[in-house]
Amino acid sequence: MAGVAGRLARRWCSGALRSPLQVTRFPALQLHVCGPAMRASQKDFENAMNQVKLLKKDPGNEVKLKLYALYKQATEGPCNVPRPGVLDFINKAKWDAWHALGSLPKETARQNYVDLVSSLSASSESSGQVTPAADRKQPGSDALVVTSQDGITTITLNRPDKKNALTPQMYHDIMLALEAASKDDSAITVLTGNGDYYCSGNDLTNFTDIPPGEVEERARSGAVLLRDFVDCFIDFPKPLVAVVNGPAVGISVTLLGLFDVVYATDRATFHTPFSHLGQSPEGCSSYTFPKMMGPSKATEMLVFGKKLTAREACTQGLVTEVFPDSTFQKEVWVRLKAYSKLPPNAMRISKQVIRNREKEKLHAINAEESSILQERWLSDECMNAIVNFLSKKAKL
Ligand SMILES: CCCCCCCCCC/C=C\CC(=O)SCCNC(=O)CCNC(=O)[C@H](O)C(C)(C)COP(=O)(O)OP(=O)(O)OC[C@H]1O[C@@H](n2cnc3c(N)ncnc32)[C@H](O)[C@@H]1OP(=O)(O)O
């Protein structure tokens, strides 16, 4: 395959092949092809085709073949044209990739194409090679992807079929990733999501399968986990940037108050349905939100569960800047890459000057919020809300 791959790459890059997959610029990447959530619309698909053209670095022939195959399957269905002759290496490799998809439904192929492009785009605005940072402990599952390049460590939530809902494993892995990022060579750390959502908050199935008699203990250990998790954000020493690629719910919203900069696509929304869930604010939002938007706007969000658009969130100070979805990834990564070239020690020290005097207070608030939430998790209001979600009676 190496010889074929090399020839393929040359042909693609030289523009010899005319297809919608013609990749003019390629991303550096760490790839994850997602499961068939089957929700991508034709518009999503067309956007993804456009995004492919913006990619900067060569993703490699295997990926290009995968993109080609998914495109063909999504637009024409299963491959039933004759296999090209043995010496027609390029078209044979393409045919093989397409044919390998068998009877995969068009909708699934379309979704997989969109997911694949999305994972490529997440890191497409950097020029260096993305490496899974070799010096760090890698996450315990594929649900989190950590990459490092061009002075930026990026932590990507990667459970797009569940809207990047956070499992206990992910809480632990994010803590490990932050710990490693605080010590690595990068100047800036980014948290983002793969797929159409930034994050749908705590995975509500975390509250299921608890044996009778263990509920209190689970609530206690959940509160410890929450407190440790939020502490990592309070203490994180380098500039921490949220690249909010889609809607955000629950703890993924409240934590934004602990980020240094928050960039959002105009498709993002911000929603903290704590009362609907019989729960209460966490992530230090009971302090950061009133401070940034005033108590009344904070109450609308944290008590009444008002969902904000990206522009509203920007007006309230929760979001730093909003970008059109069509150019979001491109603009944000160009910006971050420029920032990452600033002297890292100066940035770290300036962040400390801005944040350090509040640290102690934030830790105390986090402890209090976690303990209140521990009680809430044992309440009938909370139990009923979880049961409602799980039985799909309620969509918040
Ligand atoms: C006692 C032990 C506790 C341990 C916990 C430790 C620390 C926790 C601290 C944090 C506590 C709470 C803070 C919060 O985050 S509260 C907010 C929780 N999130 C929600 O309420 C969102 C629930 N989800 C939705 O309302 C909708 O799914 C959506 C996000 C609006 C998307 O709607 P959609 O119609 O576009 O897509 P949908 O079909 O519903 O979703 C696709 C699949 O994803 C699953 N899913 C989405 N979000 C969650 C979630 N938060 N938890 C679990 N699963 C989620 C959804 O069920 C679908 O799955 P499937 O395809 O049906 O299998």
Side-chain angles (χ1 to χ4, degrees):
M1 180 71 188
V4 175
R7 277 190 288 277
L8 258 174
R10 282 193 291 281
R11 292 284 300 277
W12 250 304
C13 295
S14 68
L17 289 174
R18 289 273 147 223
S19 91
L21 295 169
Q22 208 151 31
V23 179
T24 51
R25 295 187 292 165
F26 308 107
L29 75 150
Q30 181 164 344
L31 270 181
H32 286 265
V33 184
C34 309
M38 283 189 267
R39 288 190 192 280
S41 64
Q42 181 60 25
K43 180 108 190 4
D44 296 332
F45 186 53
E46 283 161 16
N47 281 341
M49 281 191 275
N50 287 333
Q51 266 180 286
V52 164
K53 295 177 198 150
L54 297 174
L55 301 177
K56 272 192 167 171
K57 292 217 165 296
D58 191 339
N61 291 315
E62 268 188 37
V63 174
K64 284 186 274 185
L65 283 172
K66 210 172 273 178
L67 281 168
Y68 169 80
L70 289 170
Y71 173 82
K72 294 291 273 186
Q73 192 86 4
T75 54
E76 296 179 29
C79 172
N80 52 21
V81 297
R83 191 173 194 242
V86 279
L87 294 178
D88 189 354
F89 296 112
I90 293 167
N91 285 318
K92 193 154 60 63
K94 292 169 74 181
W95 187 93
D96 286 345
W98 182 15
H99 191 256
L101 294 180
S103 57
L104 187 77
K106 277 184 169 184
E107 293 77 5
T108 310
R110 189 164 72 176
Q111 177 69 51
N112 288 357
Y113 181 91
V114 169
D115 288 342
L116 179 51
V117 173
S118 166
S119 69
L120 294 169
S121 300
S123 52
S124 70
E125 290 310 319
S126 299
S127 60
Q129 190 65 37
V130 170
T131 49
D135 56 338
R136 78 179 74 246
K137 199 167 170 195
Q138 287 299 305
S141 82
D142 286 347
L144 202 72
V145 178
V146 184
T147 56
S148 242
Q149 68 181 134
D150 296 327
I152 304 174
T153 290
T154 303
I155 302 169
T156 304
L157 308 174
N158 186 41
R159 253 187 117 205
D161 54 334
K162 299 288 180 190
K163 312 294 184 194
N164 296 324
L166 298 167
T167 61
Q169 177 75 52
M170 288 166 80
Y171 288 111
H172 284 291
D173 286 344
I174 292 168
M175 287 193 273
L176 285 177
L178 287 174
E179 163 83 14
S182 72
K183 295 180 188 143
D184 70 15
D185 290 341
S186 65
I188 292 179
T189 301
V190 170
L191 184 68
T192 190
N194 181 20
D196 61 343
Y197 260 66
Y198 173 64
C199 175
S200 63
N202 188 39
D203 188 315
L204 294 174
T205 65
N206 293 343
F207 295 99
T208 57
D209 295 332
I210 303 180
E214 283 185 27
V215 181
E216 277 85 1
E217 172 49 28
R218 281 293 183 91
R220 195 202 58 77
S221 61
V224 171
L225 176 60
L226 172 63
R227 183 176 169 179
D228 290 348
F229 179 70
V230 175
D231 275 347
C232 289
F233 286 82
I234 297 171
D235 288 331
F236 193 72
K238 300 176 179 178
L240 185 60
V241 180
V243 172
V244 184
N245 56 297
V249 186
I251 191 165
S252 71
V253 175
T254 57
L255 279 177
L256 295 176
L258 299 174
F259 280 70
D260 302 300
V261 166
V262 178
Y263 294 139
T265 161
D266 58 10
R267 209 170 47 74
T269 53
F270 299 83
H271 188 201
T272 48
F274 299 131
S275 300
H276 300 69
L277 291 168
Q279 299 188 29
S280 52
E282 26 61 355
C284 295
S285 57
S286 63
Y287 174 72
T288 56
F289 279 32
K291 193 177 166 213
M292 84 178 84
M293 56 184 82
S296 136
K297 292 286 182 192
T299 299
E300 277 202 299
M301 277 197 87
L302 297 174
V303 180
F304 298 146
K306 183 182 178 188
K307 189 191 282 185
L308 299 193
T309 63
R311 300 220 179 277
E312 287 167 339
C314 193
T315 306
Q316 303 307 337
L318 184 61
V319 165
T320 313
E321 191 169 334
V322 180
F323 299 81
D325 195 52
S326 56
T327 55
F328 176 60
Q329 295 289 346
K330 187 171 186 219
E331 290 194 56
V332 161
W333 289 103
V334 166
R335 176 101 52 106
L336 289 174
K337 210 174 133 188
Y339 290 159
S340 72
K341 294 194 168 58
L342 293 168
N345 291 335
M347 288 201 284
R348 184 191 277 258
I349 286 164
S350 295
K351 166 167 178 165
Q352 280 165 20
V353 172
I354 296 169
R355 296 268 172 186
N356 269 10
R357 67 178 72 93
E358 295 236 279
K359 259 192 184 177
E360 217 172 298
K361 188 168 199 163
L362 290 170
H363 283 302
I365 289 158
N366 180 27
E368 189 189 357
E369 288 178 346
S370 301
S371 141
I372 291 170
L373 202 40
Q374 178 179 341
E375 294 301 316
R376 284 276 88 212
W377 285 331
L378 301 173
S379 71
D380 286 346
E381 286 180 345
C382 180
M383 303 276 183
N384 291 339
I386 306 295
V387 170
N388 273 348
F389 173 79
L390 293 174
S391 59
K392 300 281 178 193
K393 282 183 195 145
K395 275 278 148 71
L396 298 167

